[in-house]
């Protein structure tokens, strides 16, 4: 199979752009599914997203920050993620501005107008160079678009949808979510709003989240083909809990599976209830996926103080705006509720920005420029925001178990006391975080994915909460994630026209695709 895509000698591998009729049409999931399907065929495949807007990010082994969705797509492809796979990452800091991360490193803040007014066009060369390098290295590169390719107000500066497809001369498949309704109009309208040159690259459609008898859909698919001259390359059935690490939604992977299906029964006598504060600009909320994967652990996101009353564990998650999130907690009465919990010896966990909020004070002249702000005072920690962002993939030991994670933060924590260091190097030297009573804090994202540590932590939480909860002894988060990625590959293999997909990836844009009027205005 390998040889079908690229001969030796540095030839460029095949490519495909997965676009969508809307945001959240299923582009990330379909891209991951195609990557897993190809990897199982022996094809060396890599994911790519030129420009990603997301507060869920990941740190590669070389210390670069990329979108978490691309890291999970790399896992689907069974390759190590790199900065080449997501050269531009935008991390919103408000409704109008974002931090720009270029090739894994933060390079500054830009308003949306400033970005689209010139900076974005300047990045097209960087983006195409990264894609070209991936295509020289891999047999195939599956690119994910952003939003919709028919956002005609942004087409001139586009580097992630048709702008990328035109620059790289790769075919485009448009995904539509039929569960939302209007999928035929969305496919037709998306195509008809593109210029003649852009339309020439749109090779077909993929229906996502279909419920029912597919034969009832077939007349519509045939009419769509007669109207556009393009075939539908597959109809994927609706399936619960298939989201990989999302960009900005809350339908995250394993938590989604737990919320959408029957919660696995507890291993012990009782369940454990986890409440996650849905703070503004919440980042890396995927940290709680591993908790939700545990049988008998019920995870919910909350924004009211009374919703903490029956929680056995409260989690303050990461955020792109620590000071703003702290203000939000106070405005809603959540801050007082968390402080009362701590006084009662009831468990609280802060991760990254949540850890910073639990401290005594925050000195921030970087992110919010608010100066010195009082924290919740529950941990003996003082935080100072540094201009340079910490990006790392550390390993250590916590509660007698090995633990690994990744760090993405400007805040530098000075720990002045506490009952114990949260994470150590295994030889008595503290690496990160601390504990005071039943309050825990760490900068390490992803630490709960370490199975032994997660079980040890949940046992401590259950004891402090007075719950007869016992972690299952055999839950493997890595295995569950692999099973989920295989399910995505199965969807493509069983419900897509894989022969047609292979032709597109291998041979490129078909000749003679008809123009659908009126075209771009």
């Amino acid at each position: 199979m390998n040889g079908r895509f690229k001969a030796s000698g540095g030839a460029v591998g095949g490519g495909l752009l997965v676009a969508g009729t809307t945001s959240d049409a299923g582009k990330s999931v379909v891209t991951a599914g195609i990557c897993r399907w190809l990897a199982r065929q022996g094809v060396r495949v890599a994911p790519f997203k030129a420009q990603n807007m997301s507060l869920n990010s990941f740190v590669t082994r070389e210390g670069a920050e990329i979108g978490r969705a691309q890291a999970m797509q790399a896992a689907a492809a069974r390759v190590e993620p790199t900065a080449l796979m997501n050269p531009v990452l935008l991390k919103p800091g408000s409704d109008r501005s974002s931090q720009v991360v270029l090739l894994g490193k933060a390079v500054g803040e830009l308003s949306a107008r400033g970005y689209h007014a010139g900076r974005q066009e300047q990045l097209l060369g960087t983006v195409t160079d990264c894609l070209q390098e991936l295509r020289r290295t891999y047999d195939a590169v599956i690119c994910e678009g952003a939003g919709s390719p028919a956002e005609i107000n942004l087409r001139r500066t586009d580097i992630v949808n048709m702008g990328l497809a035109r620059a790289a001369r790769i075919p485009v498949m448009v995904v539509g979510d039929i569960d939302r309704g209007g999928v035929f109009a969305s496919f037709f309208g998306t195509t008809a709003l593109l210029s003649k040159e852009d339309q020439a690259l749109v090779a077909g459609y993929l229906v996502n989240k279909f419920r029912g008898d597919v034969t009832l859909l077939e007349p519509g698919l045939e009419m769509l083909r007669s109207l556009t001259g393009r075939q539908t390359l597959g109809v994927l059935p609706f399936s619960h809990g298939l989201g990989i690490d999302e960009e900005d939604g809350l339908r995250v992977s394993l938590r989604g599976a737990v919320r959408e299906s029957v919660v696995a029964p507890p291993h012990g006598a009782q369940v454990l209830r986890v409440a996650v504060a849905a703070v503004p600009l919440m980042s890396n909320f995927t940290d709680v996926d591993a908790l939700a994967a545990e049988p008998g652990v019920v995870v919910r996101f909350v924004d009211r103080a009374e919703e903490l009353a029956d929680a056995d564990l409260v989690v303050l998650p990461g955020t792109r705006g620590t000071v703003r999130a702290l203000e939000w907690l106070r405005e809603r009465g959540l801050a007082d509720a968390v402080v009362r919990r701590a006084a009662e010896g009831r468990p609280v966990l802060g991760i990254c920005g949540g850890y910073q909020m639990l401290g005594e004070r925050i000195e921030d002249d970087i992110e919010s420029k608010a100066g010195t702000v009082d924290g919740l005072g529950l941990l003996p920690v003082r935080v100072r925001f540094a201009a340079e962002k910490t990006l790392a993939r550390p390993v250590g030991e916590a509660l007698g178990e090995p633990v690994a994670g990744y760090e993405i933060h400007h805040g530098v924590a000075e720990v002045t006391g506490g009952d114990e260091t949260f994470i150590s190097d295994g030889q008595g030297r503290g690496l990160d975080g601390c504990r005071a009573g039943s309050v825990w804090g760490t900068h390490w994202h992803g630490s709960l994915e370490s199975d032994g540590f997660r079980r040890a932590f949940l046992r401590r939480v259950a004891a402090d909460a007075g719950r007869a909860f016992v972690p299952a002894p055999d839950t493997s988060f890595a295995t569950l994630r692999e099973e989920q990625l295989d399910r995505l590959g199965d969807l493509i293999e069983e419900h897509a026209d894989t022969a047609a997909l292979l032709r597109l990836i291998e041979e490129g844009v078909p000749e003679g695709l008809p123009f659908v009027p009126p075209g771009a205005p």
Side-chain angles (χ1 to χ4, degrees), residues 2-3 5-13 44 132-133 135-139:
N2 241 8
F5 281 84
K6 185 173 68 173
S8 61
V12 173
R44 294 180 302 160
Q132 188 77 352
E133 186 169 342
R135 294 180 73 185
R136 283 193 294 263
T137 305
Y138 294 91
D139 301 325

Side-chain angles (χ1 to χ4, degrees), residues 280 303 305 323-336:
D303 60 5
V323 171
R324 177 178 168 186
L326 191 53
E327 292 172 351
W328 180 87
L329 289 175
R330 286 175 168 139
E331 289 168 358
R332 290 177 169 262
L334 284 159
D336 288 340

Side-chain angles (χ1 to χ4, degrees), residues 55 92-94 279-283 318-321 324:
L55 287 171
S94 70
V279 298
L281 298 175
M282 181 164 43
S283 61
T319 172
R320 172 84 164 88
R324 177 178 168 186

Side-chain angles (χ1 to χ4, degrees), residues 226-303:
S226 67
L227 287 167
T228 67
R230 291 156 174 85
Q231 70 179 111
T232 297
L233 299 165
V235 177
L236 306 187
F238 189 100
S239 187
H240 291 287
L242 282 181
I244 61 169
D245 291 3
E246 304 280 356
E247 294 178 0
D248 293 309
L250 280 180
R251 288 181 296 277
V252 292
S253 56
L254 297 174
R255 184 182 64 81
V258 169
R259 287 172 65 90
E260 293 177 2
S261 61
V262 177
V263 176
H267 187 71
Q270 293 180 317
V271 300
L272 200 70
R273 297 178 176 86
V274 179
V276 185
V279 298
L281 298 175
M282 181 164 43
S283 61
N284 289 68
F285 48 75
T286 48
D287 283 331
V288 300
D289 277 2
L291 293 178
E294 284 285 349
V297 175
V298 181
V299 176
R300 66 183 189 274
F301 285 78
V302 304
D303 60 5

Side-chain angles (χ1 to χ4, degrees), residues 28-46:
S28 296
V29 167
V30 169
T31 299
I34 294 174
C35 285
R36 176 50 58 101
W37 162 65
L38 286 173
R40 293 195 305 210
Q41 310 305 310
V43 176
R44 294 180 302 160
V45 59

Side-chain angles (χ1 to χ4, degrees), residues 52 325 492 496:
N52 194 348
I492 298 299

Side-chain angles (χ1 to χ4, degrees), residues 43 96 215 221 290 343 384 454 468:
V43 176
R96 297 190 176 185
T215 61
L221 300 179
R384 176 184 54 81
R454 182 181 65 253

Side-chain angles (χ1 to χ4, degrees), residues 431-453:
L431 294 179
D432 180 78
C434 72
R435 177 183 71 85
S438 61
V439 181
W440 306 73
T442 176
H443 269 130
W444 290 21
H445 294 292
S447 59
L448 292 166
E449 295 179 19
S450 299
D451 297 327
F453 162 68

